[in-house]
Amino acid sequence: MARRFSSAYQSEPMSSLALWARRLAVFSAIAAVVSIVIVRFGFLEVKPALMTFFGALGLAGLSILVALAGFAAIWQNGSRGMSAILVALLLDAVILAYPGYLAWQYQKLPKIHDITTDPIDPPRFEALARLRSGEGTNSAVYAGLYSAEQQRITYPDIEPVELEVPVQRAYEVTLALVNKRKWLVIDERPPQPPRRIGRIEAVARTPIMGFREDVSIRFVPDGEGSRVDIRSSSRYFEGDLGSNASRVTKLIEDINTAADNAPKPKQTPAAKAAVKGKK
């Protein structure tokens, strides 16, 4: 019985809709991967590469429709092709899952792209300003009061980093964290007299597409301690889907942890004598 059933099933024609659903899914997967590679390695401008990516998503959506039509046809006439439909739907789900999540984030989050710990006097883009002058790039000038208000509402915990370590030490631990993240450092200026204000400018990349997001970090002495201000801004697009806020928040946490774990400087004999004199 099993052999006769299998033989009868194999004699049924393959559903052309099932085959086309699988072909569309495979082609959309290839197009999505190619577009990601193009963006990450800068083979084309961002907009043409994104059009390729959105075209891949459209093909994945079309593949789902064709797969559903193929499933209905197989249900009615008993033709073969269920395995092809399942492969197509699995590929389509993989392709569309993360963009679908991003679309949900886009509707949920404010349309801002410039996050800073100091909206009144944000760290400036100086060396990075040259990289934000092309067509379609966001301005190097801070986004303004609307962005600051939306940030305050959505990300109220983003505040300046107040440290109990000297400004030079704050600069050193932060630069180590920037290098550990493999951000591309464009400019670094340690805090030196007379003003003793340090600065780091670097380029970070988003995890999958590799979009460039610019980071400026400022170090200012604050008595015997120091203050660190951070600014992270997308080079393209009006909304960042929360990537800059996430980057700033994580860097704040890591700076605080690194500063707390930093070895305390040894007191000189003169400093010890001064402490004893106060007692």
Side-chain angles (χ1 to χ4, degrees), residues 112-116 122 139-148 231 233:
I112 57 177
H113 64 270
D114 205 341
I115 299 296
T116 179
S139 171
V141 178
Y142 178 60
L145 293 178
Y146 172 78
S147 179
R231 178 183 174 193
S233 176

Side-chain angles (χ1 to χ4, degrees), residues 1-13 78 80:
M1 291 294 292
R3 287 180 181 176
R4 284 199 295 270
F5 176 78
S6 176
S7 177
Y9 177 75
Q10 292 295 332
S11 65
E12 293 294 335
R80 293 185 296 124

